[in-house]
Structures are given as C-alpha cells and as structure tokens.
Amino acid sequence: MKKTILWILAIVMLGSLCEASVVKGQRAYMKLCKKCHKSGGKLAPSHTRAEWEDYFANDAKLLKEAHQNDKAAMEKLTSKRFEKSLRHLLQFFVKYAKDSGNVPACN
C-alpha cells in the first residue's frame, strides 16, 4: 500500500515538473524579447489566446515569419534557449492574452 502511494506521488510530482510554466516563460521573455518589445505586460495582451497559439504552432512558424526581417530577433528565435523556452513562452503569452482577463503583476 505504501509503495503504491509513493509511486502515485512520484508520478504526480514528475508530471508537474514537465508542465510548461508561466514563470519560466516570463523569465525567457525577459532574456529573449524584452530588449526590443519592452514590457511583456503590454505585448501579451496585444493578441488573443488563439492568436498566440497560432504564432507558436509548428515550432513558432508565424512568430519567426513576423520577425524574418530582423537579424537579431531571428538569431534569438533560432537559438537553443528559444527552443527550450518555447512552451513556457507560450504559456506566459496565453495567460496574459487579451481575452484572458489576467494582468501581470510586474514586468
């Protein structure tokens, strides 16, 4: 019985570590996007949740197309850091999207 409970707890904890994180997304935004876009609190609500999901679909194809004329941005969007942060960035933008009703506490 104890082993079963321990296994269930371990699976739940491991699952929560694998989920995307809004906090990690905000940190990634600060490192990757803030220099050009300034406040994430102003950029995130510029689109709806569905629009952000479209931007990040297919390895962020639309996001990369929107930045294709900016060499510095493309370097960041093709970096390993961006690849690792992709799902977290999406969660950040979706949480604070125009139609989410959420407002970031700090930028």
Side-chain angles (χ1 to χ4, degrees), residues 39-77:
S39 171
K42 292 182 180 168
L43 181 62
S46 66
H47 297 288
T48 64
R49 287 180 271 186
E51 290 169 336
W52 282 122
E53 288 170 358
D54 288 344
Y55 270 107
F56 281 85
N58 300 318
D59 195 33
K61 182 180 177 185
L62 289 178
L63 191 64
K64 290 175 182 175
E65 286 177 9
H67 291 85
Q68 67 185 351
N69 294 327
D70 185 340
K71 184 179 177 183
M74 286 307 295
E75 285 178 15
K76 290 181 180 183
L77 292 175

Side-chain angles (χ1 to χ4, degrees), residues 14-102:
L14 182 61
S16 67
L17 291 174
C18 295
E19 291 179 15
S21 165
V22 173
V23 173
K24 288 181 181 178
Q26 185 175 17
R27 279 192 218 129
Y29 178 86
M30 299 295 279
K31 291 178 182 174
L32 295 167
C33 311
K34 185 178 179 182
K35 185 176 181 180
C36 297
H37 292 288
K38 307 298 180 218
S39 171
K42 292 182 180 168
L43 181 62
S46 66
H47 297 288
T48 64
R49 287 180 271 186
E51 290 169 336
W52 282 122
E53 288 170 358
D54 288 344
Y55 270 107
F56 281 85
N58 300 318
D59 195 33
K61 182 180 177 185
L62 289 178
L63 191 64
K64 290 175 182 175
E65 286 177 9
H67 291 85
Q68 67 185 351
N69 294 327
D70 185 340
K71 184 179 177 183
M74 286 307 295
E75 285 178 15
K76 290 181 180 183
L77 292 175
T78 56
S79 71
K80 292 247 186 228
R81 173 176 270 169
F82 179 76
E83 288 178 29
K84 288 181 178 181
S85 303
L86 187 67
R87 64 193 172 126
H88 303 297
L89 279 165
L90 174 59
Q91 287 301 312
F92 171 71
F93 285 117
V94 166
K95 176 159 181 145
Y96 299 113
K98 183 188 305 185
D99 58 346
S100 71
N102 296 318

